[in-house]
Amino acid sequence: MLHYGIPYNDWGIRSQCLVSVNRHPLTLSHTNNYLKHSIQNSLYTFPNFLSTFLSNFQPFFPFPFPFLSFKVLLSSLFRQIVLPTILQHFLHLLTSIQSDTTIMSKKHLILDNGSYNIKAGFALQKDPLVVQNSLAKAKDGVIYIGNDYLSHTNLYSGINFKRPHDQGHLISWETEKPIWDYTFDQLSPKVELDPLEVHLTLTETPFQLPQLSMNTDLIVFEEYGFGEYYRCVPLLLVPWAQGGLPSDFFLVIDCGFNAVHIIPVIYQRVYWKGVRKLPIGGNQLNGLLKEMISFRHYDISDEPLLINTVKEKTMYVAENFLGALKKKEQARCEFVLPDFKNTVTGYVRQDGSKLPEDAQTIQLYDERFTVPELFFHPEIMLDHNALSSNTVIQKANFKNITDLVVDSIMACPDVSRPVLLANIHFVGGTANLANFKHRLVSELEKELPVNWTVNVLDEKFDLDKVSWQGGHALANNDIIKEVTITKQDYFEHGANWCQKQFGFRNF
């Protein structure tokens, strides 16, 4: 049960009276209407008004209400100045109470719509539901949505995936909508979700094409019918995951499945002039690894799950790339391929462990650190060779992740630059690559002034769930009410309204 304190003046009335919200849930609106109707009459007949009010709404006051002196109440000064002020504040408080109860009755759904995984959950949950943002087609032609294929381990070989995102942009709602339906069913398996009673916080890629964003808004309001809606880039939610209000200056580096985004945030607003994008992510690493293994070992071009497993379990970022190439024998790693008897995904063989009979393995050497070196030498993607002899590639000006972070910092106001560098958030699934964060910090220190401190903050949650946790914290903050668009606003102002509010405007 919620109680609100209502301050009164010093004229013999006790300082606070308690209003019980849940005792009579239907009386708040009646009280509002009654007060609005009675304000004018009460200016002249306050004693009668007070008696009527107390008799009609006695359940709100669990204690005897002391009456004022009628001589003072009937005075002209009180009728013209004091009384209207009291009634106005009391009416405003009851209106805010009614608004708060409406907000508390709504469910807050946070949906981090990533290119690889969807992280979704309600504000009452501690951890999100993780759903693969893809449709999977097995060799037998059966199509699986989201995580459904995971339980069919015999179908891992030769499975193909169709994803609704291309270069981070949501381009196919024919693919995305079944995945969303699957996700909502998993979130609320027993009770059908009523979108009208749900507040949706949704993330999208930075610099999303306006028409694609408008398509998303149309799906949210016209197809699903959500009651309230807030859309933003996921990196804006990251600092909220630290707890409390976020700092005024921070730089977020998001290493995702399709790209790396560098976004400076100043006073809780994205500084769009400093946003940079490196079109290399986990998907591009998988493509390069597939070609290298298929050329050197076995043809695994039709095994996307195996390729992703090899990347996650064996890849790392070298501290000194040229030095590591000279000692590539020390990077030797033996990976056991899946036989669907002893293993369905494959694993790294430990030294001295016994191999199963008829087991097939591949020996990995420089592939382990050459593939992740794409972030620091993008030209590897063109020639599959870090030391290319092609003069065109040698002279090409490819900007790597270090160059883009420096460009982003230098595009910001002078005063904010050192502060941004001291508050770096490094997130995203691809950021889990071993030694990635340490290598990036060391490269930045070489390019920036000596008196600037490069500091990457430690995250409290998994790197691919930080944005969802930030949205979870934002949903429990009052600021969410100021940036929300309702379904009524959408239909009243038109389809462009959300784009005007969310396109390049943030709280």
Side-chain angles (χ1 to χ4, degrees):
M1 183 172 295
L2 302 176
H3 294 86
Y4 294 80
I6 303 177
Y8 271 66
N9 48 33
D10 299 329
W11 300 334
I13 302 180
R14 60 182 298 173
S15 60
Q16 288 187 344
C17 69
L18 298 178
V19 177
S20 174
V21 175
N22 293 334
R23 178 175 297 182
H24 293 278
L26 297 179
T27 55
L28 283 177
S29 60
H30 297 309
T31 306
N32 267 338
N33 294 333
Y34 185 88
L35 286 176
K36 291 177 182 177
H37 180 70
S38 303
I39 283 179
Q40 294 180 345
N41 295 332
S42 63
L43 294 177
Y44 300 97
T45 59
F46 183 75
N48 295 333
F49 164 76
L50 183 61
S51 301
T52 305
F53 179 81
L54 293 177
S55 61
N56 288 341
F57 300 99
Q58 186 64 32
F60 278 93
F61 304 97
F63 54 84
F65 192 94
F67 284 89
L68 301 177
S69 173
F70 289 138
K71 294 181 180 180
V72 178
L73 294 175
L74 295 175
S75 66
S76 175
L77 178 65
F78 186 86
R79 291 198 310 266
Q80 297 179 11
I81 300 176
V82 181
L83 181 59
T85 304
I86 294 177
L87 293 177
Q88 181 179 4
H89 285 291
F90 190 55
L91 179 61
H92 176 72
L93 179 63
L94 288 177
T95 304
S96 64
I97 293 174
Q98 188 174 11
S99 176
D100 288 343
T101 55
T102 303
I103 292 171
M104 288 184 291
S105 65
K106 280 190 175 293
K107 294 182 179 179
H108 285 261
L109 174 63
I110 303 97
L111 197 151
D112 182 11
N113 198 40
S115 300
Y116 187 75
N117 282 332
I118 291 177
K119 281 75 67 177
F122 294 103
L124 299 177
Q125 300 177 214
K126 293 183 178 180
D127 293 308
L129 169 71
V130 180
V131 177
Q132 293 205 17
N133 199 358
S134 63
L135 300 180
K137 184 177 182 181
K139 282 185 175 181
D140 57 4
V142 178
I143 296 177
Y144 299 91
I145 303 175
N147 297 337
D148 278 350
Y149 79 92
L150 295 176
S151 59
H152 302 276
T153 56
N154 59 319
L155 303 176
Y156 282 10
S157 178
I159 196 169
N160 291 314
F161 295 96
K162 179 178 177 59
R163 303 185 184 277
H165 287 80
D166 185 18
Q167 288 297 316
H169 296 282
L170 180 54
I171 62 172
S172 175
W173 272 104
E174 293 80 4
T175 306
E176 187 68 281
K177 189 177 183 303
I179 304 172
W180 275 28
D181 293 339
Y182 170 87
T183 302
F184 297 151
D185 289 341
Q186 295 295 313
L187 285 174
S188 183
K190 296 182 179 180
V191 180
E192 185 177 357
L193 190 66
D194 183 8
L196 191 60
E197 298 299 325
V198 174
H199 177 287
L200 175 66
T201 299
L202 178 66
T203 65
E204 69 170 3
T205 305
F207 290 121
Q208 178 80 286
L209 297 175
Q211 187 58 50
L212 298 180
S213 296
M214 292 173 63
N215 292 342
T216 300
D217 301 333
L218 186 146
I219 293 292
V220 167
F221 282 122
E222 300 189 23
E223 185 69 26
Y224 285 102
F226 283 100
E228 296 179 352
Y229 175 49
Y230 173 62
R231 168 167 55 83
C232 67
V233 296
L235 290 79
L236 195 60
L237 301 176
V238 169
W240 287 86
Q242 297 291 324
L245 292 177
S247 60
D248 293 332
F249 301 90
F250 51 86
L251 182 74
V252 184
I253 304 174
D254 183 13
C255 302
F257 185 65
N258 281 320
V260 175
H261 290 96
I262 301 105
I263 294 188
V265 179
I266 300 177
Y267 293 118
Q268 301 181 16
R269 291 176 180 268
V270 174
Y271 191 74
W272 292 104
K273 293 181 180 179
V275 177
R276 298 293 184 270
K277 175 182 177 181
L278 177 67
I280 294 176
N283 192 24
Q284 286 71 30
L285 300 188
N286 288 353
L288 179 59
L289 180 62
K290 174 183 67 176
E291 294 193 15
M292 295 182 73
I293 293 179
S294 298
F295 179 75
R296 299 182 180 183
H297 304 283
Y298 300 103
D299 183 10
I300 59 171
S301 56
D302 293 332
E303 304 293 340
L305 281 178
L306 175 59
I307 296 168
N308 197 66
T309 303
V310 173
K311 179 192 71 176
E312 293 178 352
K313 294 187 176 182
T314 65
M315 300 291 109
Y316 69 94
V317 178
E319 181 67 27
N320 183 353
F321 180 60
L322 296 179
L325 281 177
K326 297 176 182 179
K327 301 177 181 179
K328 64 180 181 180
E329 293 292 334
Q330 299 179 4
R332 177 184 174 275
C333 172
E334 187 175 13
F335 188 86
V336 181
L337 298 175
D339 57 4
F340 298 96
K341 294 180 182 179
N342 300 290
T343 175
V344 295
T345 59
Y347 61 92
V348 176
R349 182 190 179 189
Q350 303 297 326
D351 294 337
S353 62
K354 185 179 179 180
L355 281 175
E357 294 183 3
D358 301 327
Q360 291 182 309
T361 64
I362 55 176
Q363 304 288 334
L364 299 175
Y365 293 94
D366 59 309
E367 300 98 333
R368 298 184 62 193
F369 55 84
T370 300
V371 171
E373 193 65 21
L374 271 178
F375 292 111
F376 300 94
H377 292 90
E379 62 271 13
I380 296 176
M381 178 68 76
L382 301 179
D383 203 8
H384 301 176
N385 189 345
L387 302 176
S388 175
S389 59
N390 191 317
T391 56
V392 176
I393 295 178
Q394 289 179 352
K395 295 180 180 180
N397 184 22
F398 295 105
K399 287 196 173 184
N400 57 31
I401 186 173
T402 307
D403 299 331
L404 292 177
V405 172
V406 173
D407 286 352
S408 176
I409 292 293
M410 293 305 175
C412 297
D414 296 347
V415 179
S416 65
R417 293 172 186 173
V419 187
L420 290 171
L421 276 176
N423 295 275
I424 298 178
H425 293 273
F426 195 57
V427 299
T430 310
N432 288 306
L433 285 170
N435 202 43
F436 192 2
K437 179 173 69 174
H438 182 71
R439 168 74 180 279
L440 179 59
V441 171
S442 63
E443 295 290 340
L444 288 174
E445 290 175 345
K446 298 175 185 177
E447 300 290 336
L448 295 168
V450 179
N451 59 338
W452 289 6
T453 301
V454 181
N455 179 43
V456 178
L457 303 175
D458 294 328
E459 303 297 338
K460 298 180 180 180
F461 307 98
D462 294 342
L463 296 184
D464 58 339
K465 298 179 182 179
V466 176
S467 295
W468 186 90
Q469 293 291 350
H472 178 273
L474 177 61
N476 295 313
N477 193 287
D478 291 338
I479 198 173
I480 192 66
K481 296 182 289 186
E482 302 176 11
V483 295
T484 294
I485 286 181
T486 64
K487 185 177 181 181
Q488 180 180 357
D489 294 335
Y490 174 80
F491 284 105
E492 179 179 349
H493 297 283
N496 291 326
W497 183 246
C498 290
Q499 187 60 22
K500 290 180 180 179
Q501 301 298 315
F502 300 145
F504 294 99
R505 172 187 173 186
N506 298 281
F507 56 86

